[in-house]
């Protein structure tokens, strides 16, 4: 499948649900991708070829970042490390807080799984404001590793993610972009 065919196929497959989970949000439902194993495989091929030879580990963001992140890591034969939401991991773990629309939250990773100097791909299914991904990048760098790349299936433009992610100086890739 060419990248043009992949984009067209994903555009047909991903469902847009208006006003979910609240008014004004255009929710992108990626679950129909898993009904089509060939399409899923083409997504993994695309994301893995972006990262091939450039990373030593994949960090996936809970929970939809796991669905593709693990497959990328297996294909590239590098470790996969889970970034979890607060309160799910046993100690020892490292944490990073970040601001939400109202209040703040934290993400966590088991201590010692990421080694200093590792070149890391931070992966999630979708980039919106970039708040979660920025926190994931800070969590990686706190441990002496380097964010080498960010990848997403979908990037929503105009929500301010560029100002947050460009500071890492990492390569970025998304298969689809929406305004
Ligand atoms: P953000 O921190 O704003 O970049 O939000 C990214 C996280 O929220 C990702 O893990 C996405 O899965 C989820 N998310 C944000 N906006 C949407 C949307 N419009 N459709 C589906 N998921 C979304």
């Amino acid at each position: 499948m060419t990248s043009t065919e992949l984009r067209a196929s994903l555009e047909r497959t991903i469902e847009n649900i208006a006003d979910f989970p609240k008014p004004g949000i255009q929710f992108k439902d990626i679950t129909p991708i898993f009904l089509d194993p060939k399409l899923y495989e083409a997504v993994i091929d695309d994301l893995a070829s972006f990262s091939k030879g450039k990373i030593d580990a994949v960090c996936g963001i809970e929970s939809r970042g796991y669905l593709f992140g693990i497959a990328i890591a297996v294909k590239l034969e590098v470790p996969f490390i889970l970034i979890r939401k607060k309160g799910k991991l046993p100690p020892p773990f490292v944490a990073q807080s970040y601001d939400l629309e109202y209040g703040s939250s934290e993400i966590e990773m088991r201590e010692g799984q990421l080694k200093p100097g590792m070149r890391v791909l931070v992966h999630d299914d979708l980039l919106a404001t970039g708040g979660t991904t920025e926190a994931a990048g800070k969590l990686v760098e706190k441990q002496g590793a380097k964010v080498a790349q960010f990848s997403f299936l979908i990037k929503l433009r105009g929500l301010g993610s560029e100002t947050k992610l460009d500071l890492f100086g990492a390569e970025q890739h998304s298969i689809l972009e929406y305004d």
Side-chain angles (χ1 to χ4, degrees), residues 19 23 27 41 46 52 90 92 99 117-118 128 139 146-147 162 177:
D19 299 321
F27 186 83
E41 196 175 24
D46 178 280
K52 191 174 168 60
D99 292 332
M118 273 182 159
L139 189 57
K146 168 76 190 150
V147 180
E162 289 83 359
E177 298 199 7

Side-chain angles (χ1 to χ4, degrees), residues 141-178:
E141 302 218 320
K142 223 179 209 181
Q143 295 167 87
K146 168 76 190 150
V147 180
Q149 297 188 318
F150 292 107
S151 75
F152 312 92
L153 265 70
I154 302 168
K155 173 177 173 175
L156 303 183
R157 283 190 293 244
L159 298 175
S161 64
E162 289 83 359
T163 51
K164 297 191 187 87
L165 299 197
D166 286 356
L167 297 172
F168 289 92
E171 277 189 283
Q172 298 177 33
H173 173 59
S174 36
I175 304 176
L176 291 181
E177 298 199 7
Y178 293 96

Side-chain angles (χ1 to χ4, degrees), residues 107-123:
I107 50 171
E108 297 169 347
M109 186 191 290
R110 285 309 298 289
E111 195 176 293
Q113 293 194 345
L114 201 54
K115 310 291 181 213
M118 273 182 159
R119 299 165 302 160
V120 173
L121 167 70
V122 174
H123 170 79

Side-chain angles (χ1 to χ4, degrees), residues 25-28 64 124-133 156:
I25 304 287
Q26 300 290 326
F27 186 83
K28 305 290 180 197
R64 279 168 281 165
D124 203 357
D125 67 321
L126 184 144
L127 177 67
T129 66
T132 320
T133 309
L156 303 183

